[in-house]
Every structure is written in structure tokens, then in C-alpha cells.
Amino acid sequence: MSKEFVDVLVIGAGPSGCVSSSYLKKNNINVKVVEKTKFPRLVVGESLIPRVMDHFDEAGLFPALDKMGFEKKLGARFLRGNEVCIFDFSNKFGDGWDWTWQVPRADFDNVLAQEVIKKGIDLEFETEVTGIRFNGTDSVTTVKDKNGETKEIHAKFVIDSSGYGRVLPRLLNLEKPSKLSPHSAIFAHVEDINREEGTEGTLISFDIIETEVWLWVIPFSNGNTSVGIVGPTEYIEKLSENGNTAEALKKAISLSDYYVKRFGDVDFLFEPRHLKDYSCSVKSLFGDGFALTGNASEFLDPVFSSGMAFATESGMLAAKLALRQLNGETIDWQREYSDYILYGVNVFTTYVKEWYTGNLQELFFHQPENPEVKRKICAVLAGYVWDKKNTFVRIHDTAIKNLAEFIKTEKQQA
């Protein structure tokens, strides 16, 4: 069996892995990336939030992405019957990017991977991790390529950015159930032949069918649009008696008074994908010689598009800490990595939970709007969930619930 020797092995060539490997390469670290699939490949997570732009910029990946002309996302719209709530990222609390992109991930991820290769990083597609063993922080990872050939990769550190593949959580028995209730999604792309001109045609929207059920609409610059339904797993499975995903998504679209005319008679560009019980968690985000990033660690819910933000945030931070460790520093991975990442996860978890209780929706659609409250919530939706100057970050666990209860009491008294 052949052997390779590197400083850092990155598992997965998605956004998290590309951010990690690009940062390490920029700092003269011998890094190798292995990716199980062949790019381009279809993946969910097409709506980004502004925080990710900081990471793409710092990793030197922004120029290549910017050239692609992806649809700009300046905010997001939430619909509930005749009620409308629009968040504008340029009118948020605190500093940070005011825009991002909404993207077909097959194209987006492929641009990232090709840029990583251009930077001189050794990236192997169709290469699967089959085993790993550690000796302190040193590791030996066994991989198998598309021809069935195996080899060992010796590394001083491993960053697992394998996404839903969750390589190290499976191999090291780190998986644990999510704290969130089971939800599922069905999505597909359509050729958006009924798209309206101007902002209406390009605005990302979330149409609330019921308190826990919502339809996403994510227009792309190539003329296609992603349409998906999210809800409790039991609800999603009842959309089609025989499990036909196309039938289920068609029925979901028919439930949207706002979008049924635009998408009701449009064919899907591929058989709709079913993502069942997607939320997941792990027992630990790190161990001797490795760190878990992105969906390989935690995945919450697509409602606020936080997945990519945690992927790139954790990918960048893991790379920075690994670099310092390789340079001889002693790193407190619990404090500097796990505690930091999980603080942001906990903030977003509160928002996801309060969305499905209806409390956050109460704040979104309350009239008249409170501009200061909206600016602070907007900053959270933009991904700035570590800014403790924002009271809706600092006391996230009580702020939403208490304000929602106050609004409900006011309504009852009125």
C-alpha cells in the first residue's frame, strides 16, 4: 500500500473544506483534500448569508466566485397569507457584509474546488475515507479511489469537512441526536418561465403554509429557481401516499396562494430530492489531531440558511488553530474552537426553535414594526451571531420569547 505524508488532511471539498485548505495553503502548509464524490454534484444549501463573505474573502476565494455573476441576495422576504416581512441586510445592527449570493450549489462548489486546485492544492475527487487511526495528534487515514486502489495518508492534523457524509463522526462514534424536532424537506429546480421582471423575480422568499410548514423560493441568475417544502417529517411524508417526491412537491406548491401560479404547471429539472430528518449533532467538535467543521459537526435547519455560515466559520477557525498548533503553540480547542462555534450554534438553535413555536413569526409580522428590534434580528439572520453587543444575540434564549409574549398580551387586551 502506498503512503503519502502531509501536514493537514482535509476531508471534503465543499465550501468548508475549500476555505480551510485555501487558508492553510496561503500560510505555506502542505495540505491535501480528498472528496468522495465527483464535481459538479447536486447539493442543497443554495441560500447564503452575509457572514460567509468574510471567509471567502479571507481565504482568497472571493474573486473567482464574484466573476460568476451569481444572483445577489440583499435580504429575504417572509410571507404569511397577506402579511409580508422583508429584511434588508444593509439595514442591520452592527458591521459586516450587506449582501451575499443565492446559488446553484453544483456550480458554486465546483468553482471553489477548481480555484483550490489552481492554488496548487492537491485535491483528489472520487476518493473515499475508509478508516483512520491516531497516535496522539498524528494520524494515518486509509482512502480508496474510484479504481479501488487504497493508500495511507499520514497527517499531523485532520479537518473533517465531509458534510452529510460525516466521516469522522461515523468512524469515531461521535454522532448523537439533534435537540431539534424531526423535520424533512423536498426540493427541486425549475426553469422559471413565469418569472416576473425586477425584484419580484429575483427575491428569495419563504412562504409560510402553516406555523411549521414553509415553502422556499430561491431564484438563480441562470434563469432557474430552487423550490422546496419544509415541515415536520410526518407532514412531509403525507404529501404523497406512495412516496412520490414529484407528486409531494407539486401538492406543496398548490398550497401556496402566492406561488401556485408561478410554479404550479412548471416541470422539475430533476426528480425532487427528499431530505429526511436532516438535523444532526455530535458528542464533540474536536479530538486529539482532528476538528469537525460544517455539517460534519452540527446541522440545524434550512429556515435561516445558517448551514453554509457555520461551515465556513468553523472551517476557517479550524484552519487557523491547526496552523498555530503546527507552529508549536498549545491550543485550548475546547475554549477557542468548541465553545466559540457552539455559542453561534446555540443562538441559531434558539431562532429555529422559536420559529417553529410561532414566537419568532409573531415578531416578524407584528405591526407597526419596531425598527431597532428588526435591525438586531436582521443581524442574526445575516450570520453575525457572535456579536454580543446585539441583545438579540446576548440574551437570545429569552429575548424572542419574552417579546412575543408581550405582543400576544397586547393583542389580547386590545
Side-chain angles (χ1 to χ4, degrees), residues 13-16 18-19 22 48 52-72 97 99-116 118-119 221 308 312:
S16 184
C18 286
V19 164
S22 293
L48 314 187
V52 304
M53 308 299 272
D54 295 289
H55 308 130
F56 292 135
D57 192 23
E58 188 173 4
L61 297 167
F62 176 82
L65 294 170
D66 197 38
K67 288 178 184 177
M68 295 299 296
F70 294 119
E71 191 67 54
K72 281 193 173 183
W97 285 72
W99 63 276
T100 183
W101 292 296
Q102 45 210 50
V103 299
R105 283 287 301 276
D107 299 335
F108 186 84
D109 288 14
N110 195 42
V111 171
L112 285 174
Q114 296 306 318
E115 187 64 15
V116 161
K118 288 179 184 176
K119 292 178 181 294
S221 59
M308 176 90 73
T312 57

Side-chain angles (χ1 to χ4, degrees), residues 114-132:
Q114 296 306 318
E115 187 64 15
V116 161
I117 293 169
K118 288 179 184 176
K119 292 178 181 294
I121 296 168
D122 182 10
L123 193 166
E124 283 190 27
F125 291 106
E126 298 179 273
T127 300
E128 179 182 5
V129 173
T130 58
I132 190 167

Side-chain angles (χ1 to χ4, degrees), residues 230-244:
V230 176
T233 296
E234 184 178 1
Y235 179 98
I236 297 298
E237 291 181 343
K238 286 182 178 179
L239 288 172
S240 172
E241 291 184 1
N242 59 3
N244 185 303

